[in-house]
Amino acid sequence: MKKHIGIFGFLALLIIILGSREKAYSQEISLISTVDKKIVTLDDKLTLTLTVHGTQDVSQPTFPEIEGFNVLYGPQISAQTRIINGQVSVSKGYIYVLRPVTKGKHTIGPSTMEYKGKRYTSSPIIVEVVESTPSSGTKSFDLDKLVFVELKTDNEEPYLYEQVILYFKLYFQKGLPIADIDYTAPATKNFMEEKLGDQIQYEEVRDGIIYNVLELRTAVFPIVSGELTISPAKLKCNLIVQEERNRRVSPRDDFFGDSFFDDFFGRGQRKYPVERITNPVLLKIKPLPEYGRPEEFKGAVGNFNMEASIKTSRVKVGDPITLSVSVYGEGNIQTINEPELVFNNKDDFKVYPAESTTQITNREEVIRGRKVFSKVIEPQKTELKSIPAIVFSYFDPRENRYKTITKDPIPITVESWEQEIPIQLTLSQEKLPASQQQVRLLTQDILPIMTGISSLKNHGYPVYKNPFLIGGLFLPAIILITSFFVVRHKDRLQTDIGYARNRRAHSVANRRLGMAQSALSGDSSSEFYACLSRGITEYLADKFNIPAASASGDRVSVLLRNKGVPVDVIEDVTRCLSDFDYRRFSSDTGTKDEMEHSLNIAEQLITKLEKQL
Amino acid sequence: MMRTRFCVFIFAVLFLCAGKLFGYSLSKDEVVKTFATANENHLEAVKFIAEKNLQEANKKLEEAALQYEMIISKGFRNGRVYYNLGNTYYRLGEVGKAILNYRKAQRLMPRNAELDANLRLAKNSIEDKEVYHETPAVIQRVLFWFFLMNQNEIITLSVSLYIIVMVLFIALIILKYQWLKRVIIGFSVGLLIAVVSLGIKIYVEQGTDRGVIITKKCPVRYGPGEEYETKYEIHEGVECIVEQVKGKWYKVYVHVGIKQEDALQSDTDKKEDKEIRRGWLHKDNLGVI
């Protein structure tokens, strides 16, 4: 018994699997004949493919009548099974490689086959055979046919705000390897746009050639009427060409290995950049008709429906009720305006502005979504039995007319507060419960104007333009920097002997020269020259921070040379020092004029040295 | 020679200062006179309102408003003038302009309680339940100097702190008291805070344009032009922030709040939801603060 059950189960499973296979394969049978190019030269080869779609269990289709071509080899048979999104598709191809024999336009006749008693015929194809030329004119023409792009819309005369689907299609010949696709979307000024789904890929036969098609879709909504242009889309990509082709296995390899690509790309794998631009798309946007436009219409265009609900139906006077109104359907969801409440009396409810949330629920084929308006209303009377009816109007472009959806009033129960609050005539400082704050205070008014003019100043005058403020910014900084340097100078004078001697050298030398001047008037020549000699020697000793006794002629020369003092000045110093010492200790004191001259020389020398050191 | 030059310099400075003071006092007299007349007109209008003579009241209020506007148009900016103008517009029923002028006054008189009270009252009377992005009270208390001082006051504070820091530095250099270093650090921190506050204040008041809707009803559109459809409508008194200017159109955003009941909570627990709404509106509808 168990064995029977097992066999029965296995059979049932088999039936289910086969049934599902049959269902999955249940696609339309067709025979399609395609070629790899429509214009060939006498040196080229033509690949003819007879493809049976929908089944692989089929006899070979008849070879079509072909003039002007010889069959090089074939058929090579290829079988394909594809599963895309659960959809299984099968096909079987018979590939022939033909060589053109004569020039002119030749027709590849229809091919036929029989399947389950039914006869299927392919369409004829016209192929032009031209003379082979060394130039690449024909070849570039072929390249244009290999890859091309299109930009189209599903409606060329839409209404204002109507949803229009914009298709961008990239066609590239089947089997052609392309990479690095760079797509520049068209500029859609005066349109709102929403991206539709992911890119889709499929095959399409055009003029007997199979193309792979890459399709991008966008929903656009014109926001102004009149003639609008969608600017061209641009696509850049690279064709990948293989270099090494020692053995030509398939007709496709043959195609890529032929002289055309060899000439174009040379040998080796390389990328050949291709750029394609679509034509612009011209749309004539019709304005929305005036006739039959309802008062409630606020610009929604599409096909919509509406739902409404409230969270609480039993409330007290002044309590908030959150009304949720959902408008959903097909069209531009973002621009749906708030549906209107039809009040019998405007004082019945206190109404707050609505808050809205937008959700796109489907963006596969067209834009579908939902916009939910949350609105707070507060009933003001106990007599109210329902919230107002809700009205939403939109324009349906398919039916070319306005439509209005009306939601019936939703019943509510409004209760009064247990205790009436007397109207207050004065502002109360007591904290009232939140529910009682709606009591109107009759004395509530703005506080009076300010009449005092005593302190009426122009506060518009920017304070940063005030000179005292600018002074306040700069003066302390200047004082700070000055005091820093002064204090540092004083500190160094006290702590750094070299610095102190250096700073005082000039004044000490001047004092010595003054003493010399006194000695000159007192007729004491030896004292005069002693003052001059000491003046210069002590000056140099102070400047170089050395003992005065060490400031002899040779050492001074070396020190001055190290400081970069000019040679003539050094010579003057040496000469003066030896001259003054000579006159100081000899009887040859010179005349009074000579002494004055010596004093002047000493003064000039110290001035020169002060500049140099 | 030096003394002569110094005397000429001092005379030149005194002459310039005196000229400036003289010129200012003249315009100030005019301003005071116009302000006093406007105040009289306003007070008379209040009396007419009490007597229910609304026609005369409106006439007087319009006169007062014109006079206040004239003072402002002469470049005289004072919180009292803006406050009184706000009051005048409030009594004329132009809540948008009233809020606009109260906000202008608030920038000059940030500590004025009467102004705050009137502004709150005006805000409560607007139609839209708009939520202006107010700073939480805790932050207002912690950063009290920022909220209680206007731009000029913060500048003065910063400069004063700067001078104190400089004087302390000079004292440190001359007197060399080491404890002065700690005092300097303390005042420097204060100066840094004041300068940062000033920067933020300038950015808030001058870096971002805020405005108030001054027309009864203002359509906010999808784009800068009449040809664009209305996105939503806002009403007089709503405050918004200007993001972009294009010709005669402002791109603005407003904070709109709505009370929502939470199904899981009791009636008293209501949460305030906020939403930012953007759009374009015509310049005529907005008064920039």
Side-chain angles (χ1 to χ4, degrees):
Chain A
M1 184 62 188
K2 277 186 178 176
K3 193 181 175 186
H4 281 101
I5 290 170
I7 292 168
F8 180 74
F10 176 74
L11 284 174
L13 190 68
L14 200 66
I15 289 165
I16 290 166
I17 291 169
L18 289 175
S20 66
R21 266 178 71 85
E22 187 60 32
K23 193 181 176 186
Y25 285 1
S26 61
Q27 67 181 95
E28 211 174 308
I29 308 293
S30 62
L31 173 62
I32 295 171
S33 122
T34 56
V35 288
D36 62 338
K37 49 200 144 186
K38 296 296 292 290
I39 300 173
V40 289
T41 66
L42 285 168
D43 294 340
D44 277 344
K45 290 159 196 157
L46 183 75
T47 305
L48 169 68
T49 308
L50 304 173
T51 311
V52 181
H53 291 278
T55 181
Q56 291 176 345
D57 181 23
V58 68
S59 57
Q60 184 179 337
T62 59
F63 187 74
E65 284 184 17
I66 304 175
E67 290 172 3
F69 285 92
N70 284 338
V71 179
L72 271 183
Y73 51 84
Q76 187 184 5
I77 300 168
S78 72
Q80 278 192 341
T81 304
R82 287 184 181 186
I83 304 170
I84 299 169
N85 294 335
Q87 282 288 94
V88 182
S89 63
V90 291
S91 64
K92 195 170 185 180
Y94 298 85
I95 302 159
Y96 299 87
V97 178
L98 312 175
R99 178 188 288 282
V101 181
T102 55
K103 287 193 294 177
K105 285 190 176 178
H106 303 296
T107 304
I108 297 173
S111 171
T112 56
M113 66 155 196
E114 280 197 6
Y115 180 69
K116 290 185 179 175
K118 206 173 170 186
R119 193 180 174 83
Y120 297 92
T121 309
S122 68
S123 305
I125 305 168
I126 297 169
V127 179
E128 189 178 359
V129 181
V130 295
E131 192 72 54
S132 56
T133 53
S135 72
S136 60
T138 314
K139 291 167 185 172
S140 64
F141 176 75
D142 275 349
L143 194 63
D144 286 343
K145 282 272 181 186
L146 286 176
V147 182
F148 60 93
V149 289
E150 272 184 8
L151 189 68
K152 280 183 178 174
T153 57
D154 66 339
N155 186 357
E156 288 179 357
E157 289 192 5
Y159 280 102
L160 190 66
Y161 309 126
E162 185 183 345
Q163 182 163 204
V164 180
I165 310 299
L166 181 68
Y167 297 94
F168 171 81
K169 292 180 182 181
L170 163 66
Y171 289 85
F172 56 101
Q173 205 165 322
K174 192 181 176 187
L176 186 66
I178 60 167
D180 309 328
I181 295 175
D182 178 18
Y183 169 64
T184 309
T188 48
K189 196 189 167 192
N190 294 322
F191 291 89
M192 294 178 79
E193 71 175 70
E194 289 279 353
K195 194 173 173 290
L196 274 176
D198 295 326
Q199 63 184 42
I200 52 173
Q201 199 165 353
Y202 54 88
E203 287 178 3
E204 190 177 318
V205 177
R206 271 205 182 187
D207 298 333
I209 299 175
I210 305 176
Y211 289 98
N212 280 328
V213 184
L214 198 68
E215 186 179 286
L216 300 171
R217 290 162 300 127
T218 311
V220 293
F221 304 87
I223 52 176
V224 287
S225 56
E227 289 197 345
L228 295 182
T229 306
I230 297 174
S231 67
K234 198 191 282 182
L235 183 125
K236 288 179 185 173
C237 64
N238 286 319
L239 297 182
I240 309 292
V241 182
Q242 297 293 332
E243 175 207 27
E244 288 297 327
R245 296 199 179 272
N246 297 330
R247 196 166 56 88
R248 292 173 184 180
V249 179
S250 70
R252 182 59 55 203
D253 286 344
D254 190 71
F255 168 77
F256 283 107
D258 72 8
S259 58
F260 160 53
F261 277 108
D262 285 348
D263 288 350
F264 243 104
F265 311 120
R267 313 292 285 173
Q269 189 186 46
R270 58 183 293 189
K271 292 176 177 178
Y272 181 73
V274 175
E275 185 175 337
R276 294 285 181 268
I277 298 172
T278 65
N279 291 323
V281 176
L282 185 71
L283 296 180
K284 194 177 173 184
I285 313 299
K286 295 185 282 189
L288 296 174
E290 290 295 328
Y291 176 75
R293 181 182 290 197
E295 278 182 15
E296 301 82 21
F297 178 73
K298 288 176 184 170
V301 175
N303 191 4
F304 300 105
N305 211 334
M306 183 172 71
E307 287 170 357
S309 63
I310 53 170
K311 282 187 182 170
T312 323
S313 58
R314 182 179 286 273
V315 290
K316 291 183 176 173
V317 172
D319 267 0
I321 300 171
T322 304
L323 170 64
S324 180
V325 184
S326 169
V327 180
Y328 57 94
E330 184 184 312
N332 192 352
I333 306 299
Q334 305 282 1
T335 57
I336 293 174
N337 280 84
E338 186 189 338
E340 282 198 3
L341 296 174
V342 185
F343 292 102
N344 293 327
N345 185 353
K346 287 220 166 184
D347 297 332
D348 288 351
F349 289 90
K350 190 173 181 182
V351 184
Y352 293 101
E355 182 198 61
S356 66
T357 52
T358 307
Q359 188 191 3
I360 305 288
T361 54
N362 189 336
R363 49 170 83 235
E364 283 307 313
E365 298 300 324
V366 287
I367 293 292
R368 285 196 187 87
R370 175 184 292 272
K371 192 162 187 178
V372 181
F373 298 89
S374 295
K375 196 174 182 69
V376 171
I377 55 172
E378 293 174 356
Q380 303 293 308
K381 296 172 185 170
T382 50
E383 299 83 42
L384 295 167
K385 299 295 175 203
S386 63
I387 64 158
I390 306 160
V391 181
F392 176 70
S393 289
Y394 65 96
F395 180 74
D396 189 340
R398 286 184 197 156
E399 296 184 26
N400 286 330
R401 68 186 181 90
Y402 291 96
K403 290 181 176 175
T404 301
I405 309 169
T406 306
K407 283 286 161 198
D408 293 335
I410 301 171
I412 54 167
T413 310
V414 183
E415 295 167 349
S416 63
W417 289 94
E418 286 170 8
Q419 193 181 348
E420 286 288 330
I421 306 298
I423 294 173
Q424 298 184 8
L425 293 173
T426 54
L427 274 167
S428 171
Q429 298 298 319
E430 290 168 23
K431 281 192 174 177
L432 292 170
S435 56
Q436 299 169 9
Q437 281 181 358
Q438 59 182 323
V439 173
R440 201 173 184 87
L441 302 177
L442 293 181
T443 54
Q444 197 161 356
D445 193 10
I446 53 170
L447 294 166
I449 57 168
M450 300 177 189
T451 52
I453 53 170
S454 55
S455 58
L456 197 69
K457 289 178 184 168
N458 186 0
H459 293 140
Y461 183 73
V463 76
Y464 56 83
K465 287 184 180 174
N466 189 322
F468 292 106
L469 194 104
I470 295 165
L473 281 176
F474 287 101
L475 202 64
I478 293 165
I479 294 171
L480 177 72
I481 293 164
T482 312
S483 58
F484 172 75
F485 283 109
V486 168
V487 169
R488 198 179 70 158
H489 171 71
K490 281 187 175 176
D491 286 350
R492 284 188 75 185
L493 282 179
Q494 285 175 357
T495 55
D496 189 347
I497 296 166
Y499 178 79
R501 289 184 72 188
N502 189 353
R503 301 295 295 183
R504 287 188 202 124
H506 195 221
S507 58
V508 171
N510 282 338
R511 216 178 302 139
R512 292 280 177 209
L513 294 178
M515 285 163 74
Q517 180 80 46
S518 313
L520 180 65
S521 53
D523 287 338
S524 172
S525 59
S526 60
E527 195 185 336
F528 169 76
Y529 285 115
C531 286
L532 284 187
S533 175
R534 220 177 293 146
I536 294 174
T537 313
E538 283 179 2
Y539 174 78
L540 290 168
D542 285 345
K543 279 289 176 188
F544 295 117
N545 192 23
I546 54 174
S550 307
S552 62
D554 292 341
R555 190 167 182 201
V556 164
S557 301
V558 173
L559 289 169
L560 287 172
R561 206 172 297 121
N562 290 345
K563 281 277 182 182
V565 177
V567 180
D568 57 328
V569 179
I570 296 170
E571 283 173 359
D572 285 349
V573 171
T574 318
R575 194 171 49 246
C576 280
L577 284 175
S578 59
D579 187 47
F580 296 156
D581 283 341
Y582 168 73
R583 288 186 185 271
R584 184 178 163 192
F585 297 111
S586 72
S587 55
D588 180 17
T589 54
T591 61
K592 199 158 188 174
D593 289 343
E594 282 175 340
M595 286 168 78
E596 277 178 2
H597 180 66
S598 297
L599 181 64
N600 286 337
I601 287 172
E603 279 174 355
Q604 285 168 11
L605 200 60
I606 284 171
T607 311
K608 274 183 195 172
L609 287 170
E610 186 63 24
K611 282 179 188 168
Q612 297 292 330
L613 298 174
Chain B
M1 186 65 184
M2 281 293 286
R3 278 186 184 176
T4 318
R5 280 184 188 172
F6 182 72
C7 288
V8 169
F9 172 75
I10 292 293
F11 273 113
V13 170
L14 287 174
F15 177 76
L16 286 172
C17 291
K20 201 167 178 83
L21 287 169
F22 188 62
Y24 181 67
S25 65
L26 269 182
S27 65
K28 192 184 171 186
D29 283 347
E30 278 181 5
V31 165
V32 168
K33 200 174 165 186
T34 317
F35 182 69
T37 320
N39 289 347
E40 276 173 28
N41 281 330
H42 185 101
L43 293 172
E44 278 179 42
V46 174
K47 280 181 197 166
F48 281 127
I49 291 170
E51 292 164 9
K52 303 218 183 295
N53 186 351
L54 294 181
Q55 203 177 350
E56 277 300 312
N58 269 3
K59 205 174 151 188
K60 287 285 175 192
L61 285 171
E62 276 166 12
E63 266 181 51
L66 198 68
Q67 283 156 337
Y68 290 130
E69 293 276 17
M70 196 176 73
I71 293 170
I72 293 163
S73 71
K74 282 192 171 184
F76 192 90
R77 288 179 67 220
N78 185 286
R80 291 179 179 197
V81 180
Y82 282 119
Y83 169 83
N84 288 0
L85 180 60
N87 273 12
T88 312
Y89 278 127
Y90 185 85
R91 294 209 183 282
L92 280 167
E94 296 183 48
V95 187
K97 285 185 180 175
I99 291 171
L100 174 69
N101 284 289
Y102 285 145
R103 283 287 183 204
K104 285 180 178 176
Q106 212 174 32
R107 285 192 176 178
L108 300 169
M109 304 189 300
R111 297 180 294 279
N112 195 297
E114 293 173 18
L115 170 59
D116 290 344
N118 282 7
L119 177 63
R120 214 174 302 125
L121 190 71
K123 294 286 287 179
N124 282 339
S125 66
I126 65 171
E127 197 171 332
D128 291 328
K129 203 77 182 170
E130 151 260 18
V131 178
Y132 191 74
H133 187 69
E134 294 284 3
T135 315
V138 180
I139 295 176
Q140 285 195 23
R141 282 190 186 173
V142 173
L143 308 175
F144 62 91
W145 66 90
F146 184 82
F147 294 96
L148 295 181
M149 294 170 90
N150 66 29
Q151 197 175 308
N152 279 353
E153 285 167 345
I154 296 181
I155 290 176
T156 311
L157 174 72
S158 303
V159 172
S160 307
L161 285 171
Y162 166 77
I163 291 170
I164 290 170
V165 169
M166 284 294 175
V167 169
L168 287 170
F169 262 119
I170 293 165
L172 179 69
I173 288 168
I174 295 168
L175 303 173
K176 294 188 172 57
Y177 294 144
Q178 290 306 306
W179 55 267
L180 277 172
K181 285 183 181 173
R182 290 180 187 173
V183 182
I184 288 172
I185 291 170
F187 275 98
S188 299
V189 170
L191 174 62
L192 183 73
I193 292 169
V195 169
V196 171
S197 306
L198 178 64
I200 296 169
K201 194 93 176 173
I202 290 171
Y203 173 75
V204 169
E205 291 185 1
Q206 287 161 20
T208 51
D209 282 337
R210 291 163 191 271
V212 183
I213 302 298
I214 51 171
T215 48
K216 293 286 173 204
K217 201 185 266 187
C218 169
V220 182
R221 296 173 187 278
Y222 282 100
E226 297 286 349
E227 68 271 21
Y228 291 95
E229 195 66 24
T230 302
K231 196 174 182 183
Y232 57 95
E233 268 184 350
I234 46 179
H235 301 86
E236 192 176 22
V238 172
E239 291 183 62
C240 48
I241 292 165
V242 179
E243 280 189 318
Q244 198 184 335
V245 184
K246 204 171 187 181
K248 290 186 174 176
W249 293 83
Y250 286 129
K251 188 183 184 188
V252 299
Y253 69 84
V254 289
H255 292 276
V256 179
I258 185 163
K259 281 179 186 170
Q260 270 203 333
E261 270 183 300
D262 195 321
L264 297 172
Q265 292 177 337
S266 63
D267 280 356
T268 49
D269 292 338
K270 289 161 194 162
K271 67 174 180 182
E272 192 93 350
D273 276 3
K274 279 195 282 185
E275 186 193 14
I276 291 176
R277 290 181 167 198
R278 287 190 159 77
W280 292 84
L281 52 84
H282 197 271
K283 276 185 173 180
D284 293 347
N285 295 309
L286 192 81
V288 177
I289 298 168

